[in-house]
Structure formats: C-alpha cells, structure tokens
Amino acid sequence: MAKDQQGLDVTGTSVSAIAVDRAIADYYAGKGDPVGILQAAAAQDGAFSLGHAATASLLLLGGFRGDHPAVVSALASARAVTHGTTSREKR
C-alpha cells in the first residue's frame, strides 16, 4: 500500500499516490488536468478506487450532474474495486 504526501494510505501503487498528490495540487492551483491525471492512473492501476471516487468528485465540483454518464461510470468503477481499500477510502 502506498502513501500520499500527507502520509495517508492509498490503495494502489506509488504511482497512484503520486497522481492523487498531483491532482490535488493542480486542482487547488487552478491549472493542469486533475481529472485526466486521476483517470490515467486509475486506468493503469486496477486497485485505485480513490482515483475513481476523486474523479467523480471533481466532475461534480466542475458542474456535472450526478446522473451524468462520466460521474455514474466513475462511481461504479470506485465501487467495483473496494476490496482491500482502507476505511478512509470507503467513506
């Protein structure tokens, strides 16, 4: 299990943990493509549930409705890979 910059466990590879950190930094800086970063990492790491959930959250923050196919798909993907995730990630 990898750790992010705050020292919290992230289910998945160290590359996925780095992607979380980059996506958060890009989001708060208002630059880059945090959704794309998370989607790319999730495509490479089958255990990266947080990547899918964070993608859905960012899409919602960006104005997508909860029933938008991209949001629905991201949430379904997050739910599909909850085995082995931490209790924090399941919330």
Side-chain angles (χ1 to χ4, degrees), residues 10-11 16 20 23-24 34-35 37-43 45-62 70-82 85-91:
V10 175
T11 303
S16 295
V20 169
I24 291 169
V35 170
I37 291 168
L38 293 168
Q39 287 174 328
D45 182 355
F48 189 35
S49 178
L50 181 60
H52 297 294
T55 295
S57 295
L58 289 173
L59 291 172
L60 290 167
L61 286 169
V71 175
V72 172
S73 175
L75 290 173
S77 295
R79 288 183 188 113
V81 291
T82 57
T85 57
T86 66
S87 61
R88 177 182 66 91
E89 291 172 318
K90 289 179 183 174
R91 288 182 263 142

Side-chain angles (χ1 to χ4, degrees), residues 2 8 11-13 19 26-27 32 42-43 56 62-63 68 71 77-78 84 86:
L8 299 171
T11 303
T13 67
D26 281 5
Y27 174 76
H68 189 281
V71 175
S77 295
T86 66

